[in-house]
Amino acid sequence: MKKRSNFLTIAVASLGLLLLFDSQMLRADDGGSWVNIQFNKSWQNTYAFLRAEHRSFNDFSETEAMFTALGFGYKATPWLKTDISYEYWNVTPDITLHKAVFSANAAMVRDGLGVSVREKLEYAINPASSSTSLTLRSRLRAQYSIPGCSITPYAMAEVFNWDKWIRSLYYAGAEIKVWDHSMFDLFYLYHLPAGGQPVHILGVGYYFNF
C-alpha cells in the first residue's frame, strides 16, 4: 500500500509540474499539447490496443486534431513485434482522414538500458478530395529503467518522410508506473516541420493494461 501511495504521489507531483510548465509556455509562441489515453490487452503472442488522442496548437488555444486508433499485433520474438491498425482523424478546420498503419518494432534491453528502432508505414485517405498519401516514420528510442524506482526516463527522435522530408520530432520524457497495470507518460516534444516554424509541445498520456 505504501508503495502504491508513493507511485500516486510521484504521478500527482509530475502532473502538477506539467501544468506549471504549461502555464509558462502559454506566454510563448507556438505552444501545443498532446493528450492521450490507451488501453492494451495482451495474450500469449498477440495483443490489441485502443487509443484516443487530442492535440492543440496556437498557444494551446485551438484544437489541431483528434483521432482514435484500433490495432492488433503479434510478438514474433521477445525483441520483435509488429502490428496493424486503423486510425480515424478529425483535423482542423474540417478534414477527415482514414489511415491504415503498419509498424515493426525491434527492442533490446540490457542492465536497465533499452534501445529500440521502429518503422511505421501510414497510408492515408482523404475522402473529401479523393486523395491518398504514404508516409514512412522512422523512430529511435533510448530509455533507462532506474533500479528500485517507478520512473523510466527516455529520449526519442522520429523522422517523417516518403519522397521528401516531412517533419522531425524530438522527445524527452518519463514513464511513471502507478500500479502494476497502468502508467503515466509525461514528455516534452520539439516539433520541426518542413517549411514551417518549430513548435514546442507538452504531452501527457495514460496507459492501462488489462
Side-chain angles (χ1 to χ4, degrees), residues 114 116 139-144 152-157 170-174:
S116 65
R139 190 190 75 182
L140 175 65
R141 171 179 169 130
Q143 66 180 53
Y144 181 68
T152 301
Y154 66 85
M156 292 193 303
Y170 301 96
Y171 295 77

Side-chain angles (χ1 to χ4, degrees), residues 69-201:
L70 176 63
F72 300 90
Y74 176 71
K75 299 175 183 177
T77 70
W79 55 270
L80 177 64
K81 64 180 182 179
T82 62
D83 61 60
I84 187 169
S85 62
Y86 164 75
E87 297 179 359
Y88 178 81
W89 286 70
N90 285 317
V91 182
T92 301
D94 190 22
I95 301 172
T96 298
L97 297 175
H98 302 277
K99 293 185 179 182
V101 183
F102 173 79
S103 73
N105 189 86
M108 296 185 66
V109 179
R110 187 169 185 176
D111 297 328
L113 179 63
V115 177
S116 65
V117 177
R118 189 196 70 188
E119 295 291 344
K120 177 179 284 190
L121 181 64
E122 296 181 343
Y123 178 71
I125 301 173
N126 184 337
S129 62
S130 300
S131 61
T132 63
S133 64
L134 279 169
T135 304
L136 179 65
R137 299 171 53 178
S138 302
R139 190 190 75 182
L140 175 65
R141 171 179 169 130
Q143 66 180 53
Y144 181 68
S145 298
I146 303 172
C149 182
S150 59
I151 301 176
T152 301
Y154 66 85
M156 292 193 303
E158 185 172 12
V159 177
F160 292 61
N161 65 87
W162 187 245
D163 56 348
K164 61 181 179 180
W165 172 64
I166 301 171
R167 68 176 62 90
S168 295
L169 307 178
Y170 301 96
Y171 295 77
E175 294 175 346
I176 305 171
K177 190 175 181 181
V178 185
W179 294 288
D180 290 339
H181 300 289
S182 65
M183 72 174 186
F184 284 102
D185 179 21
L186 306 177
F187 61 89
Y188 163 75
L189 167 61
Y190 183 75
H191 180 192
L192 185 62
Q197 294 297 316
V199 182
H200 303 281
I201 296 171

